[in-house]
Amino acid sequence: MEISTTLSDTPVSEARLSEILVDPGFGVHFTDHMFTVEWTPEKGWHDARITPYGPLVLDPATAVLHYAQETFEGMKAYRHADGSVHLFRPEANAERMIRSSQRLALPELPVDDFLAAVEALVKVDARWVPEAQGEKSLYLRPFMFASEKFLGVRPSQHVTFMVIASPAGSYFKGGLKPVSLWLTEDYTRAGRGGMGAAKTGGNYASSLVAQQEATANGCDQVVFLDAQDGLYVEELGGMNMYFVFRDGSIVTPATGTILEGITRSSIIALAEQLGHEVTERRFAIDEWRSGIASGDIVEIFACGTAAVVSPVGELRSAAGTTAAPASTELTMKIRSALVDVQFGRAEDTNGWLRQVL
Ligand code: PLP
Ligand code: COI
């Protein structure tokens, strides 16, 4: 893929950038450039370019605005103490985007082109990758959407893939403290044959009322149960879950209707390397309640790229409150094992990092 580059005439000043990087928040500031490539059936992927960051001009009939045919990814670039910049398992994001795109009838962007796009943007906006202190990073948001001007319901014949980047600090406003969860019994996230395993905007749109319900009930995040029986824990709006038992074993809900997190699979590997048995299986909401009551479940945590690893506190629902687990010890140990690799403080024995600069 040939990528042309047009640099911004009005990049953010060094003084303003330093101010932003002190406390970047999540998803509020964007870098000086963006990556774009277009697809049509005749030409395939073409016209790859880095241009100054800015608004898109879209026809009101652009298909994505009506039928939500789109997919996206979330990943981060990490600066190490020696100044080098690394991506964490970006091939896994590229492969997941291919699976999501297959589900959404979008064209597949080859892994090498996905990597070239992300790396080109990180290189041109390298000064936006924060120093490692405080676990800040540059969040990367690749996304693909139906850009054809057409109101018929069929796969778009013009598709646009873009990458934008945003410096990121803590995803949760309060920093690292246990997140309280609201169990929604009215809304589900994904049914059999649906698109729960795809990273696509519609899944997040459908989660918003449930998240509003969580907020109205004083909780940080919402937890979804399976759509078929309403008995099994799936995941949070944007994170996968783990249950730690007294004997050190760990259970994480099985896949199929959940989004298979890259953090999720990394944590399974790290926990096994730390000597813990990890089982992927259906996990009933009743097992959560009884496990806390009996003390069999000693820790619960959730993970995702944006939110990293976060201890889970109380579970609230219409039926009442389940207390927070007793400990966060293993959660914090696994969290450190993960972020130490990402920030180059521990040896990357699994070969997960890809150096960009
Ligand atoms: N589940 C959902 C619904 C998500 O949006 C995310 C975030 O990307 C995850 C799980 C965790 O996935 P990953 O670890 O790849 O970021
Ligand atoms: C991520 O963790 O990258 C996500 O996409 C979760 C959320 C910001 C949608």
Side-chain angles (χ1 to χ4, degrees):
M1 185 169 65
E2 287 279 307
I3 304 175
S4 72
T5 302
T6 308
L7 293 179
S8 170
D9 293 333
T10 53
V12 167
S13 72
E14 286 298 334
R16 177 66 189 131
L17 179 57
S18 309
E19 253 171 44
I20 291 170
L21 295 185
V22 171
D23 184 14
F26 182 84
V28 279
H29 303 285
F30 296 91
T31 64
D32 297 313
H33 300 90
M34 60 190 189
F35 172 91
T36 310
V37 63
E38 323 272 347
W39 177 92
T40 58
E42 301 77 38
K43 291 169 85 175
W45 291 106
H46 62 275
D47 199 12
R49 57 201 189 268
I50 296 268
T51 55
Y53 185 95
L56 305 178
V57 177
L58 291 180
D59 190 281
T62 302
V64 69
L65 301 177
H66 303 273
Y67 310 126
Q69 190 195 6
E70 77 93 45
T71 57
F72 73 99
E73 270 303 324
M75 55 205 288
K76 284 174 171 173
Y78 303 88
R79 193 180 291 282
H80 290 187
D82 66 1
S84 61
V85 175
H86 303 251
L87 298 170
F88 183 75
R89 305 184 70 188
E91 309 80 9
N93 294 94
E95 285 158 10
R96 185 170 66 187
M97 185 162 226
I98 288 176
R99 294 195 299 276
S100 300
S101 297
Q102 286 167 343
R103 180 65 184 82
L104 271 291
L106 284 164
E108 293 174 24
L109 181 70
V111 171
D112 286 346
D113 291 344
F114 179 101
L115 296 176
V118 169
E119 289 188 3
L121 185 63
V122 171
K123 281 181 182 156
V124 75
D125 283 332
R127 68 191 186 114
W128 287 82
V129 186
E131 296 300 322
Q133 288 98 331
E135 288 178 7
K136 291 172 208 162
S137 57
L138 185 66
Y139 185 78
L140 297 155
R141 172 53 64 86
F143 60 106
M144 190 189 292
F145 61 96
S147 44
E148 185 180 356
K149 171 188 165 185
F150 179 62
L151 289 185
V153 181
R154 56 139 172 80
S156 183
Q157 301 300 293
H158 193 286
V159 172
T160 305
F161 169 84
M162 302 187 70
V163 188
I164 55 174
S166 173
S170 178
Y171 183 70
F172 294 116
K173 278 209 186 70
L176 187 63
K177 59 171 175 43
V179 288
S180 56
L181 300 185
W182 172 253
L183 177 70
T184 177
E185 283 160 306
D186 295 334
Y187 302 107
T188 59
R189 188 185 166 275
R192 188 162 56 89
M195 46 184 207
K199 206 160 168 61
T200 181
N203 288 336
Y204 299 81
S206 84
S207 77
L208 297 176
V209 282
Q211 179 61 41
Q212 276 181 327
E213 199 182 86
T215 308
N217 283 282
C219 297
D220 300 312
Q221 286 281 303
V222 60
V223 50
F224 289 100
L225 298 178
D226 76 283
Q228 192 157 332
D229 302 312
L231 295 177
Y232 301 99
V233 177
E234 300 236 298
E235 60 182 321
L236 310 188
M239 298 169 89
N240 296 122
M241 294 199 73
Y242 298 82
F243 299 85
V244 183
F245 288 79
R246 195 163 27 194
D247 66 359
S249 63
I250 300 174
V251 172
T252 188
T255 56
T257 48
I258 65 168
L259 185 84
E260 241 172 279
I262 290 149
T263 320
R264 176 184 182 278
S265 80
S266 309
I267 284 178
I268 292 173
L270 288 172
E272 286 174 347
Q273 288 158 16
L274 288 168
H276 296 267
E277 188 195 323
V278 185
T279 309
E280 298 176 58
R281 64 164 168 86
R282 295 215 288 187
F283 184 83
I285 185 69
D286 282 348
E287 197 176 345
W288 181 337
R289 291 182 171 128
S290 63
I292 290 290
S294 67
D296 278 348
I297 292 177
V298 290
E299 295 186 42
I300 306 175
F301 61 94
C303 72
T305 298
V308 195
V309 174
S310 195
V312 165
E314 259 177 27
L315 172 72
R316 285 180 227 160
S317 71
T321 298
T322 303
S327 168
T328 59
E329 194 186 323
L330 181 64
T331 303
M332 299 315 285
K333 191 168 157 189
I334 287 178
R335 187 182 197 286
S336 301
L338 178 71
V339 297
D340 284 353
V341 171
Q342 290 170 332
F343 286 98
R345 299 186 295 249
E347 201 191 331
D348 177 23
T349 52
N350 295 293
W352 283 338
L353 296 182
R354 183 178 168 106
Q355 185 165 359
V356 181
L357 284 165

